[in-house]
Amino acid sequence: MMHAALSIWILSAVICMGRGHHHIGHDDAASQDTSESSLSLVMSENKQFGISLYKKLAAHPSSEGKNVFFSPSSVSMALAALSVGARGETHSQLFSGLGYNSSLLTQADVDQAFQAILDRSNGTMNEDISEGTAVFVDNHFKARPEFLETLRQSYHAEGFNVDFAQSQDSANTINKYVEGKTNGKIDKLVESMDPSTVMYLISYIYYKGKWATPFDPKLTRDDEFAVDENTKVPVQMMNMEEMLDTYHDQAINTSVLHLPFNNSYSMLLLLPDDMAMLENAICPAHITKWMKWMKPRMHDVYVPKFSIKSSYLLNDVLKEMGMTAMFGDSADLSGIADGQKLAVSEVVHQATLDVDEGGATAAAATGIGITLLSLRFVPVMKFNRPFMVVITERNSENILFMGKIINPNI
Ligand SMILES: *[C@@H]1O[C@H](CO)[C@@H](O)[C@H](O)[C@H]1NC(C)=O
Ligand SMILES: *[C@@H]1O[C@H](CO)[C@@H](O)[C@H](O)[C@H]1NC(C)=O
Ligand SMILES: *[C@@H]1O[C@H](CO)[C@@H](O)[C@H](O)[C@H]1NC(C)=O
Ligand SMILES: *[C@@H]1O[C@H](CO)[C@@H](O)[C@H](O)[C@H]1NC(C)=O
């Protein structure tokens, strides 16, 4: 008994490792197909990048008192596509900023990994998820054909010619495209187009999932959500009492609820005692541990209905993450076009998340708990204060979306 208890404790202790420490997953890595191992390396670095970016966004002054929600997957993909055309210091900063170690991975490995990721999401024949990229090129600009070909092949990019001198028209063209790809969820990605733009790279992701076990709308009630100690806001609180996978991570005093969708995707809802502590501690190994150790048991859960939207200009956080050269005079994007001085003017990101009784839609949603007293003891888990959400694919643990709900009403 003692032994069993001890080994579980050891296995459930998570050590967050920094960059540069890689798990390929098998001892016989050498005998594995190298493209498989570089795929798993890219995927593991993408997870780490997503969590690092979350921490930067959450700590940014403009995020104070706001929900945080974004798609790590979409940001990695856009920056990886950009890195195809970057050279010199600009390339090495993008590469290491994304977490890729250039002594273990080449740009071609990264391109192939994204191709495999996109082939997989395109290949499942499901309409639940769509992701991809697009490149808008000015009529008068000559991009290198090999750059465009790599984007088309590896990043599933669609290419379009536009006239960026017509800044309103070109912004509209891009916004319409993104609106179409996200089923209307993101309808104004570009506010105003800099007329000196010659190329605009887009990555998009749309996900719509039905809960494997939906909430019963008849049980949804008006409730309250505690934004902080002094502020309560009204929410529509959904409720169900079911066998649900949960885990209590004592090391970081966080309760984890696993709500699977009716496909291979899942939402993880993380209810910490102390949000700052969770945000500080979380790393990809936690997700692996929770998925492995959570156990189905009867739970009475309360999750708010909500619909949120976020918008970011990522220039500053990317610079903080070491990707400075691409924004300045020293930018080297000569892989995109020869003999022209190119630099990145903006990296913008928007995301939306709608959660209701039937499921969740993310293109990038809370209550007063009317606790039904029952004679059986059923533990209650009520998301009526700030919590984090992660939408992940169960097998690869690819983090499609990640965020923090502080106030479901804004
Ligand atoms: C990159 O990988 C090499 C070889 O495994 C390792 O020695 C080095 O420390 C890694 N660099 C970073 C920045 O993680
Ligand atoms: C994605 O799948 C669809 C239908 O299976 C196919 O027509 C399309 O060419 C694929 N897209 C890419 C970029 O592979
Ligand atoms: C978790 O909560 C308990 C009880 O409130 C507290 O004693 C403990 O220090 C907390 N653990 C951490 C790691 O903060
Ligand atoms: C989930 O999928 C199963 C089969 O894949 C189907 O029988 C069931 O009706 C689906 N449930 C919902 C809520 O769509």
Side-chain angles (χ1 to χ4, degrees):
M1 276 310 266
M2 284 284 281
H3 279 293
L6 187 65
S7 62
I8 285 175
W9 168 246
I10 291 168
L11 279 165
S12 64
V14 161
I15 299 159
C16 295
M17 281 165 297
R19 289 272 165 72
H21 212 117
H22 303 295
H23 284 285
I24 295 184
H26 297 286
D27 292 326
D28 60 345
S31 66
Q32 275 185 308
D33 180 16
T34 37
S35 68
E36 263 307 307
S37 73
S38 54
L39 174 60
S40 71
L41 201 49
V42 168
M43 295 195 45
S44 101
E45 296 301 7
N46 286 353
K47 282 175 224 170
Q48 183 64 53
F49 171 77
I51 289 180
S52 303
L53 181 54
Y54 174 88
K55 291 180 185 189
K56 290 283 180 206
L57 287 176
H60 200 264
S62 66
S63 294
E64 201 176 323
K66 286 196 189 146
N67 300 320
V68 173
F69 191 70
F70 71 104
S71 170
S73 189
S74 168
V75 177
S76 301
M77 192 171 298
L79 292 174
L82 175 68
S83 73
V84 171
R87 298 289 180 268
E89 184 66 11
T90 307
H91 184 267
S92 51
Q93 286 181 2
L94 271 165
F95 223 61
S96 61
L98 285 164
Y100 309 139
N101 182 333
S102 58
S103 60
L104 301 171
L105 289 170
T106 63
Q107 181 68 43
D109 292 331
V110 171
D111 299 340
Q112 276 165 23
F114 277 96
Q115 186 168 354
I117 292 166
L118 283 164
D119 283 347
R120 222 180 263 179
S121 76
N122 194 42
T124 49
M125 293 278 289
N126 67 31
E127 290 153 15
D128 306 332
I129 180 160
S130 78
E131 62 183 320
T133 63
V135 55
F136 293 82
V137 183
D138 189 77
N139 294 330
H140 303 292
F141 179 73
K142 275 222 138 1
R144 283 175 181 261
E146 59 272 27
F147 170 75
L148 296 176
E149 181 53 28
T150 303
L151 259 54
R152 190 190 66 74
Q153 196 169 38
S154 295
Y155 296 84
H156 289 192
E158 291 188 278
F160 301 93
N161 282 312
V162 287
D163 181 0
F164 285 111
Q166 307 293 322
S167 57
Q168 199 52 53
D169 287 353
S170 56
N172 290 346
T173 301
I174 292 171
N175 289 337
K176 275 264 167 305
Y177 177 83
V178 174
E179 186 177 4
K181 291 294 181 183
T182 59
N183 287 302
K185 289 292 173 187
I186 311 277
D187 58 4
K188 202 163 191 221
L189 183 70
V190 183
E191 198 63 41
S192 64
M193 184 64 71
D194 183 333
S196 60
T197 304
V198 292
M199 183 180 279
Y200 213 89
L201 258 172
I202 301 283
S203 80
Y204 58 85
I205 179 166
Y206 175 82
Y207 174 79
K208 188 177 174 68
K210 284 193 161 74
W211 303 125
T213 309
F215 289 82
D216 179 353
K218 289 203 286 293
L219 298 178
T220 301
R221 298 271 187 276
D222 290 333
D223 203 339
E224 283 185 333
F225 186 96
V227 172
D228 56 40
E229 278 172 25
N230 307 314
T231 319
K232 288 203 163 76
V233 295
V235 287
Q236 288 273 296
M237 194 66 96
M238 311 185 293
N239 173 232
M240 77 168 125
E241 191 178 314
E242 284 290 339
M243 289 293 282
L244 294 164
D245 289 337
T246 59
Y247 186 84
H248 184 76
D249 197 325
Q250 278 173 345
I252 51 173
N253 281 347
T254 295
S255 297
V256 180
L257 171 65
H258 176 221
L259 291 180
F261 292 103
N262 208 0
N263 49 31
S264 74
Y265 296 85
S266 287
M267 184 182 278
L268 292 174
L269 295 108
L270 323 179
L271 189 66
D273 284 359
D274 178 351
M275 179 60 85
M277 186 190 170
L278 169 63
E279 289 182 318
N280 193 40
I282 190 171
C283 66
H286 283 108
I287 297 176
T288 304
K289 173 179 120 175
W290 300 330
M291 294 301 263
K292 187 176 160 90
W293 290 102
M294 56 197 150
K295 292 269 180 300
R297 62 172 294 185
M298 266 324 257
H299 261 93
D300 185 17
V301 306
Y302 292 84
V303 174
K305 263 171 90 154
F306 59 92
S307 228
I308 59 162
K309 193 166 194 158
S310 54
S311 180
Y312 302 99
L313 176 63
L314 294 177
N315 296 24
D316 289 351
V317 292
L318 295 176
K319 285 178 192 165
E320 283 174 29
M321 293 172 87
M323 294 171 261
T324 52
M326 65 179 172
F327 295 105
D329 289 342
S330 57
D332 184 350
L333 297 171
S334 55
I336 295 180
D338 255 340
Q340 302 188 54
K341 201 86 192 83
L342 303 173
V344 174
S345 57
E346 63 177 17
V347 181
V348 294
H349 187 77
Q350 292 181 18
T352 66
L353 174 63
D354 303 286
V355 171
D356 66 17
E357 289 88 350
T361 303
T366 308
I368 296 179
I370 317 285
T371 312
L372 287 173
L373 287 177
S374 67
L375 297 174
R376 294 161 298 126
F377 174 72
V378 179
V380 172
M381 209 188 247
K382 187 163 181 175
F383 292 82
N384 62 347
R385 55 193 157 82
F387 58 91
M388 277 175 71
V389 297
V390 174
I391 298 183
T392 180
E393 202 279 329
R394 285 193 288 278
N395 302 313
S396 63
E397 290 168 14
N398 186 24
I399 305 176
L400 270 58
F401 299 93
M402 180 166 178
K404 168 172 70 165
I405 311 306
I406 296 194
N407 182 346
N409 284 359
I410 55 172

